[in-house]
Amino acid sequence: MATQQLWRAQLRSYPANGHTAFLPQIRKVVLEFCQHYPSSSNARTFISNHLERVAREHPHVEFVIRQRNGHEPIARGFYANGRDKVIPLNKLEVTGIERKVQLLMDSSGAKIKPLKGARTVESTTESARGIWSGMHVDTPFII
Amino acid sequence: MAASWHIRNWLSHHVRRVAATRAIHAQSVLPGTTSAALEIIRTQPSQYIVASLVGRKFILTPRDLLTVPHIKDVDVGDVLVLKDIHEVGSRDYTLRGEPLIPPGRVKVEATVVEHTKGAMEVVFKKKRRKGYQKTIKNKHPYTRLRIGPIQFANSS
């Protein structure tokens, strides 16, 4: 059998995070709040009372606190793919703020796209059973 | 009549030649045990499984990213073992369970990669001339799983 030519595209590899090893995609969470305005009061409570516990439960994430005087409070998540997600915290209770921080940590940073239907299984491997060919059957159709 | 006999003869030769070429790479005797069948499937270059998850069947290969509705009590990074595998196959051979393949034979793990929400879906409802209209905005929560390698029992 003649040796197959090696095509450059065959040497490409596609990322498959989680296939054998999993790397969390969340890198850093920045909580920005105002010292004085009442819209930040729940954020201040969360940072004082709950943030340390959340940070200890997720040691792979870097938590940063910043002042943002005169503005609404914000949680900003930075991801391994270079993107960031920004969530305003001004209309949330303390438990709601904890859930938004958890949402940032659960996400992978990928752009939000419609996930129904065609995107149920996303595969980069070739079909294991091969692709049917009309010319490689017992009785190919002859015109 | 002679012409039809010639055509029939050609066809029979053709079928016999095709059958002979197929027998070169196909097994002439069916394997007797599940282990033998899985061994044959394992030797082929790539395999697939048909597994049930969250009440639906999916055709999965290693390194796939599977998106299912949000699974509760599961954290990002957790590894799940698929316990309902209906079929294991490769290019030329398929092993189908009745209805499942025994759990000790084939092991496939799926790692939870993320919990996300889909894009915003806007549904507008209206009944004309009745003053009824409303806009429903919905972001469906999903869990994405990365399928690990297909592990056959008794193989290192």
Side-chain angles (χ1 to χ4, degrees), chain A residues 99-128:
Chain A
R99 276 163 50 190
K100 289 297 181 189
V101 170
Q102 186 63 41
L103 185 151
L104 285 174
M105 292 194 287
D106 285 342
S107 174
S108 75
K111 202 167 177 191
I112 299 291
K113 285 188 175 166
L115 284 173
K116 278 184 184 171
R119 293 192 71 192
T120 309
V121 178
E122 287 186 338
S123 186
T124 50
T125 50
E126 289 173 7
S127 161

Short mmCIF file of all heavy atoms in Angstrom, two decimals, chain A residues 99-128:
data_model
loop_
_atom_site.label_atom_id
_atom_site.label_comp_id
_atom_site.label_asym_id
_atom_site.label_seq_id
_atom_site.Cartn_x
_atom_site.Cartn_y
_atom_site.Cartn_z
N ARG A 99 -24.77 34.64 44.52
CA ARG A 99 -25.11 33.81 43.35
C ARG A 99 -24.50 34.34 42.07
O ARG A 99 -24.10 33.58 41.19
CB ARG A 99 -26.62 33.70 43.21
CG ARG A 99 -27.19 32.60 44.09
CD ARG A 99 -28.66 32.69 44.30
NE ARG A 99 -29.44 32.85 43.10
CZ ARG A 99 -30.74 33.13 43.11
NH1 ARG A 99 -31.36 33.30 44.25
NH2 ARG A 99 -31.40 33.28 41.99
N LYS A 100 -24.39 35.67 41.95
CA LYS A 100 -23.76 36.23 40.74
C LYS A 100 -22.26 35.94 40.72
O LYS A 100 -21.67 35.68 39.68
CB LYS A 100 -24.00 37.74 40.66
CG LYS A 100 -25.43 38.11 40.35
CD LYS A 100 -25.88 37.62 38.99
CE LYS A 100 -27.30 38.02 38.70
NZ LYS A 100 -27.85 37.40 37.51
N VAL A 101 -21.64 36.00 41.89
CA VAL A 101 -20.21 35.66 41.95
C VAL A 101 -20.03 34.18 41.58
O VAL A 101 -19.09 33.82 40.85
CB VAL A 101 -19.64 35.98 43.35
CG1 VAL A 101 -18.24 35.41 43.51
CG2 VAL A 101 -19.63 37.47 43.59
N GLN A 102 -20.95 33.33 42.05
CA GLN A 102 -20.88 31.91 41.68
C GLN A 102 -21.09 31.72 40.18
O GLN A 102 -20.45 30.88 39.54
CB GLN A 102 -21.94 31.14 42.48
CG GLN A 102 -21.89 29.63 42.32
CD GLN A 102 -20.60 29.04 42.84
OE1 GLN A 102 -20.09 29.43 43.88
NE2 GLN A 102 -20.04 28.12 42.09
N LEU A 103 -21.98 32.52 39.58
CA LEU A 103 -22.19 32.45 38.13
C LEU A 103 -20.92 32.81 37.37
O LEU A 103 -20.58 32.16 36.38
CB LEU A 103 -23.33 33.42 37.75
CG LEU A 103 -23.83 33.46 36.31
CD1 LEU A 103 -25.28 33.87 36.30
CD2 LEU A 103 -23.06 34.43 35.44
N LEU A 104 -20.21 33.82 37.85
CA LEU A 104 -18.95 34.18 37.19
C LEU A 104 -17.95 33.04 37.27
O LEU A 104 -17.21 32.76 36.31
CB LEU A 104 -18.35 35.42 37.86
CG LEU A 104 -19.01 36.76 37.53
CD1 LEU A 104 -18.39 37.85 38.38
CD2 LEU A 104 -18.88 37.10 36.07
N MET A 105 -17.92 32.36 38.43
CA MET A 105 -16.94 31.28 38.58
C MET A 105 -17.33 30.03 37.81
O MET A 105 -16.47 29.24 37.43
CB MET A 105 -16.77 30.97 40.07
CG MET A 105 -16.09 32.10 40.80
SD MET A 105 -15.50 31.66 42.41
CE MET A 105 -17.03 31.56 43.30
N ASP A 106 -18.64 29.83 37.57
CA ASP A 106 -19.08 28.65 36.82
C ASP A 106 -18.89 28.80 35.32
O ASP A 106 -18.86 27.82 34.60
CB ASP A 106 -20.57 28.39 37.06
CG ASP A 106 -20.84 27.80 38.42
OD1 ASP A 106 -19.89 27.27 39.02
OD2 ASP A 106 -22.00 27.85 38.87
N SER A 107 -18.78 30.05 34.85
CA SER A 107 -18.74 30.26 33.40
C SER A 107 -17.34 29.98 32.86
O SER A 107 -16.36 29.95 33.61
CB SER A 107 -19.15 31.69 33.11
OG SER A 107 -18.98 31.96 31.74
N SER A 108 -17.26 29.78 31.55
CA SER A 108 -15.96 29.56 30.93
C SER A 108 -15.45 30.79 30.19
O SER A 108 -14.37 30.76 29.63
CB SER A 108 -16.04 28.41 29.91
OG SER A 108 -16.70 28.85 28.75
N GLY A 109 -16.23 31.85 30.17
CA GLY A 109 -15.78 33.06 29.48
C GLY A 109 -16.09 33.07 28.01
O GLY A 109 -15.86 34.06 27.34
N ALA A 110 -16.61 31.95 27.48
CA ALA A 110 -16.93 31.94 26.04
C ALA A 110 -18.10 32.86 25.77
O ALA A 110 -18.94 33.10 26.63
CB ALA A 110 -17.28 30.51 25.61
N LYS A 111 -18.15 33.36 24.54
CA LYS A 111 -19.21 34.29 24.16
C LYS A 111 -20.54 33.55 24.21
O LYS A 111 -20.64 32.39 23.80
CB LYS A 111 -18.94 34.79 22.75
CG LYS A 111 -19.61 36.07 22.43
CD LYS A 111 -19.07 36.69 21.16
CE LYS A 111 -19.87 37.95 20.90
NZ LYS A 111 -19.63 38.51 19.59
N ILE A 112 -21.58 34.23 24.71
CA ILE A 112 -22.89 33.59 24.84
C ILE A 112 -23.51 33.45 23.46
O ILE A 112 -23.68 34.43 22.75
CB ILE A 112 -23.81 34.43 25.76
CG1 ILE A 112 -23.21 34.55 27.16
CG2 ILE A 112 -25.19 33.81 25.82
CD1 ILE A 112 -23.20 33.27 27.95
N LYS A 113 -23.82 32.22 23.10
CA LYS A 113 -24.44 31.97 21.79
C LYS A 113 -25.62 31.04 22.02
O LYS A 113 -25.68 30.34 23.02
CB LYS A 113 -23.44 31.28 20.86
CG LYS A 113 -22.38 32.20 20.33
CD LYS A 113 -21.54 31.53 19.27
CE LYS A 113 -20.58 32.55 18.69
NZ LYS A 113 -19.53 31.88 17.91
N PRO A 114 -26.58 31.01 21.09
CA PRO A 114 -27.71 30.09 21.26
C PRO A 114 -27.21 28.64 21.31
O PRO A 114 -26.43 28.21 20.47
CB PRO A 114 -28.55 30.31 20.00
CG PRO A 114 -28.07 31.54 19.38
CD PRO A 114 -26.71 31.83 19.88
N LEU A 115 -27.65 27.89 22.35
CA LEU A 115 -27.10 26.56 22.59
C LEU A 115 -28.07 25.44 22.28
O LEU A 115 -27.75 24.29 22.47
CB LEU A 115 -26.66 26.44 24.05
CG LEU A 115 -25.34 27.14 24.40
CD1 LEU A 115 -25.11 27.08 25.89
CD2 LEU A 115 -24.18 26.49 23.69
N LYS A 116 -29.28 25.77 21.82
CA LYS A 116 -30.25 24.72 21.55
C LYS A 116 -29.98 24.09 20.20
O LYS A 116 -29.33 24.64 19.35
CB LYS A 116 -31.67 25.32 21.51
CG LYS A 116 -32.27 25.49 22.87
CD LYS A 116 -33.69 25.98 22.76
CE LYS A 116 -34.24 26.25 24.14
NZ LYS A 116 -35.53 26.92 24.11
N GLY A 117 -30.50 22.85 20.00
CA GLY A 117 -30.52 22.26 18.67
C GLY A 117 -29.17 21.82 18.18
O GLY A 117 -28.61 20.83 18.61
N ALA A 118 -28.60 22.60 17.26
CA ALA A 118 -27.41 22.15 16.53
C ALA A 118 -26.18 22.09 17.42
O ALA A 118 -25.22 21.42 17.06
CB ALA A 118 -27.17 23.07 15.34
N ARG A 119 -26.19 22.78 18.56
CA ARG A 119 -24.96 22.82 19.35
C ARG A 119 -25.01 21.86 20.53
O ARG A 119 -24.29 22.04 21.48
CB ARG A 119 -24.73 24.25 19.84
CG ARG A 119 -24.43 25.20 18.71
CD ARG A 119 -23.94 26.53 19.21
NE ARG A 119 -22.60 26.43 19.74
CZ ARG A 119 -22.01 27.38 20.45
NH1 ARG A 119 -22.66 28.48 20.72
NH2 ARG A 119 -20.80 27.23 20.91
N THR A 120 -25.87 20.83 20.45
CA THR A 120 -25.96 19.88 21.56
C THR A 120 -24.65 19.11 21.71
O THR A 120 -24.13 18.97 22.81
CB THR A 120 -27.11 18.90 21.33
OG1 THR A 120 -28.28 19.63 21.04
CG2 THR A 120 -27.37 18.07 22.56
N VAL A 121 -24.14 18.55 20.61
CA VAL A 121 -22.87 17.84 20.66
C VAL A 121 -21.93 18.54 19.70
O VAL A 121 -22.19 18.59 18.50
CB VAL A 121 -23.04 16.36 20.26
CG1 VAL A 121 -21.70 15.67 20.26
CG2 VAL A 121 -23.99 15.65 21.19
N GLU A 122 -20.84 19.10 20.23
CA GLU A 122 -19.84 19.75 19.37
C GLU A 122 -18.61 18.86 19.33
O GLU A 122 -17.96 18.64 20.35
CB GLU A 122 -19.49 21.12 19.93
CG GLU A 122 -20.59 22.14 19.73
CD GLU A 122 -20.18 23.52 20.16
OE1 GLU A 122 -19.24 23.65 20.97
OE2 GLU A 122 -20.81 24.47 19.69
N SER A 123 -18.32 18.35 18.14
CA SER A 123 -17.26 17.35 18.03
C SER A 123 -16.21 17.80 17.04
O SER A 123 -16.54 18.34 15.99
CB SER A 123 -17.89 16.03 17.56
OG SER A 123 -16.95 15.01 17.56
N THR A 124 -14.93 17.59 17.38
CA THR A 124 -13.85 17.85 16.43
C THR A 124 -13.27 16.56 15.88
O THR A 124 -12.43 16.60 14.99
CB THR A 124 -12.73 18.66 17.11
OG1 THR A 124 -12.39 18.02 18.33
CG2 THR A 124 -13.19 20.07 17.41
N THR A 125 -13.71 15.40 16.42
CA THR A 125 -13.19 14.13 15.91
C THR A 125 -13.98 13.71 14.68
O THR A 125 -15.16 14.03 14.55
CB THR A 125 -13.31 13.03 16.97
OG1 THR A 125 -14.65 13.03 17.47
CG2 THR A 125 -12.36 13.26 18.12
N GLU A 126 -13.31 12.97 13.80
CA GLU A 126 -14.00 12.45 12.62
C GLU A 126 -14.96 11.35 13.03
O GLU A 126 -14.80 10.73 14.08
CB GLU A 126 -12.98 11.89 11.62
CG GLU A 126 -12.17 12.96 10.95
CD GLU A 126 -11.05 12.38 10.11
OE1 GLU A 126 -10.99 11.14 9.95
OE2 GLU A 126 -10.23 13.15 9.62
N SER A 127 -15.93 11.09 12.17
CA SER A 127 -16.93 10.08 12.47
C SER A 127 -16.27 8.72 12.61
O SER A 127 -15.48 8.31 11.76
CB SER A 127 -17.96 10.08 11.34
OG SER A 127 -18.67 8.90 11.34
N ALA A 128 -16.62 7.97 13.70
CA ALA A 128 -15.98 6.67 13.93
C ALA A 128 -16.43 5.65 12.89
O ALA A 128 -15.67 4.75 12.52
CB ALA A 128 -16.34 6.17 15.33
#
